[in-house]
Amino acid sequence: MIKRLLSSTFAIIACIIICADGYSQSAKLKGKVTDEATKEGLFGVNVMVTSTNEKVKTGTSTDFDGNYEIALPEGSYKVKYNYIGYKNHNEDITISGADVTKNVVLAQDAEIIDEVVVSAGKYEQKLQDITISMEVLKPQAIESKNTYNIESSLNKVPGVDVNNHQPSIRSCTGWSYGAGSRVMILVDEMPIMSADIADAKWNYIPTENISQVEVLKGASSALFGSQALGGVINIRTAYPTAEPMTKVNAFFGVYGNPADERFKWWGDEQNPAYYGASFLHSQQFGNFDFVLGGNFYKNEGFRNTEYERRARLNTNLRYRFKKVDGLSIGVNANYMLNQISDFFMWQSDTMPYVSNTMFGGSSAPTQGYRVNVDPSVQYICPKNEDRHSLRTRFFRTLNEISNDTMKNSLGDVWYAEYQYQKSLEHWKISAGAVDNYQVVISNMFSNHYSNEVAAYVQGDARYGRLKFSLGVRFEYFKVDTSMTKTELKFGKDTINIPIKPVARLGVNYQVAEATFLRASFGQGYRFPAVSEKFISMALGAVKVFPNNNLNPETSWSVEVGAKQGYKFGKWKGFADAAVYFQRMYNMMEFGFVVLNSLTGEPYELGQVGDPEMGFQCANVGNADIFGVDLSGVITGPLGNWGELNAMVGYTYNNPKYISDDIDPSTSTDDKTLKYRYKHSVKADVSLTAKWFEVGFDLVWKSKVKNVDRLFCDERPEEEVIGDYAVLSSLILPGYWDYRIRTAEQNFWNIDFYVGAKIYKETKISFHIKNLLNQVYCGRPGDICAPRRFEVSLSSKF
């Protein structure tokens, strides 16, 4: 496979170097286009030239350094410089036999809805023009909160919930013990999901080098593949600008005493603490881009068996060829060493920070590493702006369990994606092919391999105020001997093909200058992860069983939305509203089961064989998710004090089983899906002045209505199975009492921070996380951290 990949890479490079051979004319229009604020050259600016008699219409685009050149016959011309996110610039020029040099400076467009995103169509376009809902998280919002794990920032995005490391967009996922995901996590448009349990370790994401986080809501399998059934989170890392830049940050934090003194296990000893540091250096050396960053973190843990230690290095390297316009090669890499002990279940509701060791309350100490290396090559033909790119990734995860080598696991991912883009008069065509090959070597899962092969094409068109997109993907997925299967009927005959087609369609119409209506339809498809299908392990006395009969799940979703930009004097912002519906078929969920030790089938009294209790992933039926997303952003000056930035969002979800036989592992007879929130409100408010900043985040969620029946059987007393009640009292003592005690309690969290500049770009900040010291469960047996106090020192130069 690697030989094929390398030979393909060299063939593409050879082809594009040959086609890059230009031509020359006696009279040229040339120059450089730069950013007004940063003074650096802008790559990909459209330069459109029309003669005054309209007989000549031609154009080009700028190279990586912002330079452009176009041959023209003698005459008078109107030249338009157009670039997404910047104000248009027009020039009148005359060609009279001699070359004309015209350098242009472009100013950024200040409107918030003109933000540039790439995830909606795999190319740059304005946020206002996309046909589906998207949230954008800027690096300032990450850095100001002293974010050392991107999970905490994502939890504050409207419509997004990360429950015990597991991401969910619009209730597409509840909590499935860390295995599998309906949300695709990307770094630089390539998946960063592990081969074994298909998860993304949030502490592996290089928070010190993020240019933007884009959250795509709704089924997105047509562009991104199997795990994008519920949405996509794309973390984009940054390349250097014209000016060298270095950032350093160090922080120290301590856990405060919990609201309930019974929770405190450390007595009169010093409270548990955590600390860390990060750095980033970014610089251009001629045509060579260089980025190097790193991070160190150590956490003693607020629970008695929990700790985390990690160290990470990352780099982005890119070379832009001078002699071949539009050609660049690069390699990005990230490496992390970690030691961790995870907490799983509490000892009781009055001692929730102490683990239930008898029933697998905490995982055995684990150490290992994660590493990815991403070679890439890209070519943009100067003559017609056709874009060719080949991006590859090798991603390895190694987990070693102390004193239990039987649970060690190694997972390798080999990913390659070729993409071709072409711009026509009204259309932008994106087409590509993907090969995602994965190998897992583990005693928990045995040894398995999977292979995803896909081809996709999407067209985005603009006709006046109307924009629309249409995409389709053909996917082949195989795990060991299980593979994609699609039934096709021809009269009375039915045939199966190993390809799954998925499609998406979206429209966006600009009603007024800052008013945009949109509607979209998308299909989703997800094949079981290796962990969901083959995992076999024990958490104390509770086991996790494999399920070789697990089948893929599918879905479709629709959305209607509106975005309204506004401006009042120096205040500006936008409001967004969306109504959505998603139907899921053959949904895969983990649930508690009692199986026969000999047959692996559900246990019945009188059978030969012993009962074994544990969790198993199964196809539990069909479900509907209906909801509403509302969000708004506003920014503007507060007199001479500084600038106010505020975001607020509300999400309503109603996730229900539609099958008559609902998942038997749920805690009530209500058809609500497990581990979902019906209501949530999120807000982020900050005030930034010349020498100080202050702000807070607020997250409110309604109570989780339905959990696993094993943890809390809330059915009428006459329906309760005695064994469940006994097991619940052993595995998760006191959870039923906790649920009754907090029956009307919702999830509240407020984080507060204040910072001050002490010298130029050096800042000291003070943070209080969980300001009100709230007590809440993210999932059963997992009461979250008490109030924390942090101080951080950062500098940029």
Side-chain angles (χ1 to χ4, degrees):
M1 174 183 171
I2 301 302
K3 290 182 179 179
R4 294 199 307 270
L5 181 59
L6 291 174
S7 62
S8 300
T9 303
F10 291 133
I12 291 172
I13 294 174
C15 176
I16 58 186
I17 289 176
I18 292 171
C19 81
D21 188 16
Y23 58 89
S24 62
Q25 294 282 340
S26 58
K28 298 177 183 177
L29 171 64
K30 58 184 179 180
K32 184 172 184 175
V33 183
T34 56
D35 183 295
E36 182 182 56
T38 65
K39 311 303 180 188
E40 66 177 343
L42 292 174
F43 163 66
V45 177
N46 292 317
V47 183
M48 293 166 283
V49 182
T50 304
S51 63
T52 52
N53 59 13
E54 297 190 353
K55 290 184 177 181
V56 177
K57 290 185 178 181
T58 185
T60 187
S61 60
T62 57
D63 63 18
F64 281 99
D65 296 314
N67 297 311
Y68 70 96
E69 183 178 293
I70 185 169
L72 296 170
E74 293 185 358
S76 298
Y77 297 90
K78 292 186 179 295
V79 186
K80 182 178 181 180
Y81 300 84
N82 174 263
Y83 192 53
I84 291 179
Y86 289 75
K87 295 178 180 178
N88 291 342
H89 182 88
N90 298 301
E91 291 280 351
D92 293 324
I93 61 104
T94 300
I95 299 292
S96 57
D99 292 350
V100 174
T101 300
K102 182 65 67 175
N103 296 323
V104 172
V105 177
L106 295 186
Q108 292 190 17
D109 196 321
E111 298 303 322
I112 297 175
I113 56 178
D114 280 342
E115 286 187 287
V116 179
V117 296
V118 300
S119 301
K122 294 205 172 189
Y123 72 95
E124 291 186 340
Q125 54 186 318
K126 292 182 180 180
L127 182 61
Q128 66 188 27
D129 290 337
I130 64 175
T131 60
I132 53 178
S133 289
M134 178 184 285
E135 301 287 347
V136 177
L137 192 61
K138 291 293 187 179
Q140 299 91 323
I142 299 171
E143 294 173 1
S144 64
K145 314 297 171 47
N146 189 41
T147 302
Y148 40 87
N149 187 323
I150 195 65
E151 176 180 351
S152 61
S153 293
L154 289 170
N155 241 332
K156 295 163 186 174
V157 175
V160 179
D161 297 305
V162 186
N163 189 357
N164 200 221
H165 316 310
Q166 195 137 24
S168 175
I169 296 177
R170 292 177 171 175
S171 287
C172 69
T173 304
W175 175 62
S176 58
Y177 306 86
S181 177
R182 295 189 181 100
V183 177
M184 174 73 81
I185 313 300
L186 309 172
V187 172
D188 295 324
E189 287 90 66
M190 290 186 289
I192 200 72
M193 319 290 283
S194 64
D196 49 6
I197 63 175
D199 73 334
K201 287 291 186 282
W202 303 110
N203 56 14
Y204 184 64
I205 306 299
T207 52
E208 64 275 7
N209 186 34
I210 290 179
S211 67
Q212 188 163 284
V213 179
E214 299 172 0
V215 179
L216 202 61
K217 301 178 182 180
S220 304
S221 294
L223 272 183
F224 296 100
S226 173
Q227 289 172 318
L229 181 142
V232 172
I233 297 174
N234 182 22
I235 297 103
R236 297 169 59 188
T237 61
Y239 280 102
T241 59
E243 295 295 324
M245 184 267 294
T246 300
K247 294 190 300 184
V248 293
N249 179 69
F251 69 92
F252 176 83
V254 62
Y255 293 100
N257 291 330
D260 189 330
E261 283 294 324
R262 295 176 299 176
F263 295 2
K264 185 179 175 182
W265 57 270
W266 53 85
D268 294 329
E269 300 175 12
Q270 184 177 357
N271 289 35
Y274 53 97
Y275 53 89
S278 65
F279 77 92
L280 178 74
H281 180 71
S282 176
Q283 187 171 358
Q284 291 182 345
F285 298 93
N287 280 34
F288 179 68
D289 296 336
F290 173 80
V291 177
L292 179 66
N295 171 280
F296 167 78
Y297 177 73
K298 183 176 181 180
N299 189 347
E300 298 174 5
F302 65 96
R303 295 182 278 209
N304 69 330
T305 57
E306 189 176 46
Y307 64 81
E308 180 182 2
R309 304 156 193 157
R310 68 172 186 262
R312 178 172 42 74
L313 281 174
N314 65 88
T315 186
N316 286 8
L317 307 174
R318 182 175 65 184
Y319 181 75
R320 294 162 285 133
F321 288 86
K322 284 187 177 181
K323 294 185 178 180
V324 184
D325 264 358
L327 177 63
S328 67
I329 58 173
V331 60
N332 296 356
N334 197 15
Y335 177 75
M336 182 180 75
L337 285 170
N338 69 283
Q339 295 178 334
I340 191 169
S341 176
D342 268 336
F343 183 94
F344 188 60
M345 294 294 180
W346 69 29
Q347 183 166 305
S348 72
D349 62 321
T350 59
M351 300 181 66
Y353 293 164
V354 178
S355 64
N356 185 347
T357 54
M358 180 182 296
F359 284 89
S362 61
S363 66
T366 304
Q367 62 184 12
Y369 66 83
R370 291 195 169 208
V371 59
N372 67 276
V373 181
D374 307 343
S376 63
V377 58
Q378 179 175 267
Y379 175 70
I380 302 175
C381 190
K383 293 181 180 180
N384 54 23
E385 301 181 40
D386 287 2
R387 182 190 299 249
H388 303 263
S389 67
L390 178 63
R391 291 179 294 189
T392 63
R393 169 168 286 165
F394 169 70
F395 178 40
R396 167 168 287 184
T397 59
L398 173 67
N399 297 307
E400 296 179 326
I401 310 298
S402 300
N403 304 321
D404 191 355
T405 57
M406 293 299 291
K407 293 182 180 179
N408 292 353
S409 66
L410 174 72
D412 284 346
V413 177
W414 301 86
Y415 180 88
E417 178 177 0
Y418 167 73
Q419 186 182 111
Y420 170 72
Q421 290 184 348
K422 186 173 185 63
S423 297
L424 303 174
E425 183 178 1
H426 295 286
W427 286 83
K428 183 84 169 185
I429 306 296
S430 301
V434 173
D435 188 7
N436 188 357
Y437 182 78
Q438 304 184 3
V439 178
V440 176
I441 301 173
S442 169
N443 290 316
M444 277 195 299
F445 311 114
S446 300
N447 298 339
H448 302 281
Y449 77 93
S450 67
N451 195 24
E452 175 190 13
V453 179
Y456 63 86
V457 61
Q458 175 164 306
D460 294 88
R462 176 190 291 269
Y463 290 90
R465 293 174 176 263
L466 177 67
K467 284 85 66 180
F468 66 88
S469 61
L470 175 64
V472 63
R473 183 184 184 100
F474 299 94
E475 180 138 334
Y476 164 84
F477 208 107
K478 184 177 183 181
V479 177
D480 292 350
T481 57
S482 302
M483 68 177 67
T484 302
K485 183 175 68 173
T486 300
E487 291 186 352
L488 296 180
K489 293 185 178 180
F490 298 93
K492 296 182 179 180
D493 298 326
T494 300
I495 63 171
N496 293 320
I497 61 172
I499 296 174
K500 178 67 177 181
V502 286
R504 67 176 300 268
L505 171 67
V507 295
N508 181 306
Y509 184 73
Q510 184 177 0
V511 179
E513 181 180 359
T515 305
F516 301 85
L517 300 180
R518 66 181 184 274
S520 64
F521 167 84
Q523 292 179 308
Y525 170 74
R526 188 170 81 89
F527 212 83
V530 167
S531 56
E532 292 172 301
K533 197 173 179 71
F534 300 112
I535 188 171
S536 178
M537 62 177 293
L539 296 169
V542 179
K543 295 186 177 181
V544 182
F545 300 112
N547 185 354
N548 291 319
N549 298 318
L550 195 61
N551 293 313
E553 59 185 4
T554 59
S555 79
W556 57 265
S557 65
V558 292
E559 174 192 271
V560 177
K563 189 181 293 290
Q564 175 65 58
Y566 51 82
K567 194 172 185 179
F568 307 102
K570 295 182 179 180
W571 288 81
K572 59 194 175 187
F574 69 84
D576 191 278
V579 179
Y580 55 87
F581 176 84
Q582 182 170 20
R583 172 158 291 181
M584 303 176 68
Y585 300 96
N586 230 17
M587 188 171 61
M588 294 182 282
E589 293 272 285
F590 272 91
F592 184 77
V593 294
V594 180
L595 301 182
N596 188 304
S597 60
L598 295 179
T599 66
E601 299 295 325
Y603 180 80
E604 295 181 7
L605 292 174
Q607 286 183 335
V608 177
D610 297 323
E612 290 185 312
M613 60 181 182
F615 293 93
Q616 185 182 57
C617 190
N619 299 109
V620 296
N622 307 330
D624 284 346
I625 301 174
F626 169 79
V628 177
D629 246 345
L630 304 174
S631 63
V633 173
I634 188 168
T635 180
L638 282 179
N640 297 324
W641 282 90
E643 183 177 81
L644 179 72
N645 293 277
M647 178 281 296
V648 63
Y650 165 74
T651 304
Y652 165 80
N653 284 305
N654 189 20
K656 294 277 190 178
Y657 290 103
I658 58 175
S659 307
D660 291 333
D661 298 324
I662 65 172
D663 183 356
S665 70
T666 60
S667 63
T668 76
D669 289 330
D670 185 272
K671 291 190 175 184
T672 301
L673 302 185
K674 293 184 297 185
Y675 304 109
R676 269 76 166 185
Y677 303 98
K678 179 166 282 191
H679 305 276
S680 67
V681 175
K682 301 183 179 183
D684 182 348
V685 180
S686 64
L687 172 65
T688 305
K690 290 183 178 180
W691 60 273
F692 81 95
E693 62 180 339
V694 61
F696 70 89
D697 296 324
L698 178 148
V699 176
W700 174 87
K701 301 175 185 177
S702 59
K703 180 184 174 183
V704 172
K705 190 172 184 179
N706 208 344
V707 299
D708 276 294
R709 180 166 291 173
L710 172 67
F711 302 139
C712 182
D713 199 329
E714 298 179 353
R715 293 171 300 158
E717 185 174 350
E718 61 272 14
E719 297 181 18
V720 174
I721 301 174
D723 289 343
Y724 273 97
V726 173
L727 289 174
S728 178
S729 65
L730 292 174
I731 294 174
L732 200 56
Y735 183 67
W736 198 334
D737 294 334
Y738 171 83
R739 293 272 289 185
I740 295 173
R741 193 166 64 245
T742 61
E744 303 302 324
Q745 180 177 311
N746 299 312
F747 175 108
W748 271 100
N749 187 74
I750 298 177
D751 294 343
F752 170 83
Y753 70 93
V754 59
K757 289 185 180 180
I758 55 179
Y759 178 74
K760 293 184 178 180
E761 294 298 316
T762 300
K763 181 178 70 173
I764 188 169
S765 301
F766 181 66
H767 307 257
I768 305 178
K769 308 288 179 69
N770 190 4
L771 178 67
L772 303 180
N773 209 16
Q774 292 288 297
V775 176
Y776 53 88
C777 265
R779 60 161 176 81
D782 180 36
I783 281 189
C784 297
R787 184 188 293 127
R788 287 96 71 202
F789 304 92
E790 297 174 6
V791 60
S792 64
L793 182 65
S794 61
S795 186
K796 184 185 296 185
F797 50 90

